[in-house]
Amino acid sequence: QVQLVESGGGLVQAGGSLRLSCAASGSIFSINGMAWYRQAVGKQREFVARLGTGSGASYANSVKGRFAVFRDNAKNTVYLQMNSLNPEDTAVYYCNIMSFWGQGTQVTVSS
């Protein structure tokens, strides 16, 4: 019914930046509430950021001031701009809305 496809992951050096995308398709009328999670090897999946209504958004404390989530409603796409990356940000990043999840995109930050 709903498909989510993440892209934009890769390998970057500490201090670098990446921009992740999550394109939604199928029976979805709004990307309000779209969220990003991440899971590192050996760790639980954790919340990263979530869109709210309008321009609202919420962020995990670990990424505040470094990451920003925003949307393009015409493309049914949500983005995660990640700046000042550090090795602790290394994880598979997943987008989510309601009970739907993407396949994830790998982000690796080298020291």
Side-chain angles (χ1 to χ4, degrees):
Q1 185 177 0
V2 176
Q3 297 82 44
L4 305 175
V5 179
E6 303 96 334
S7 61
L11 174 63
V12 298
Q13 295 184 34
S17 298
L18 283 173
R19 183 189 183 196
L20 306 184
S21 300
C22 177
S25 62
S27 300
I28 187 169
F29 298 101
S30 174
I31 57 173
N32 291 337
M34 188 83 80
W36 287 95
Y37 290 76
R38 67 187 183 186
Q39 186 167 20
V41 174
K43 303 292 184 180
Q44 298 287 333
R45 187 170 297 186
E46 65 176 348
F47 168 79
V48 176
R50 176 178 284 109
L51 289 172
T53 58
S55 60
S58 60
Y59 299 91
N61 287 335
S62 59
V63 306
K64 285 181 180 177
R66 300 189 297 120
F67 291 10
V69 61
F70 57 99
R71 77 189 81 197
D72 184 337
N73 285 326
K75 296 181 178 180
N76 265 1
T77 298
V78 64
Y79 303 92
L80 183 68
Q81 180 67 45
M82 306 186 296
N83 300 321
S84 301
L85 287 162
N86 59 66
E88 289 68 42
D89 297 315
T90 295
V92 177
Y93 284 71
Y94 300 89
C95 62
N96 158 263
I97 188 165
M98 297 179 289
S99 64
F100 300 99
W101 294 84
Q103 84 290 342
T105 185
Q106 176 71 49
V107 172
T108 303
V109 185
S110 64
S111 59

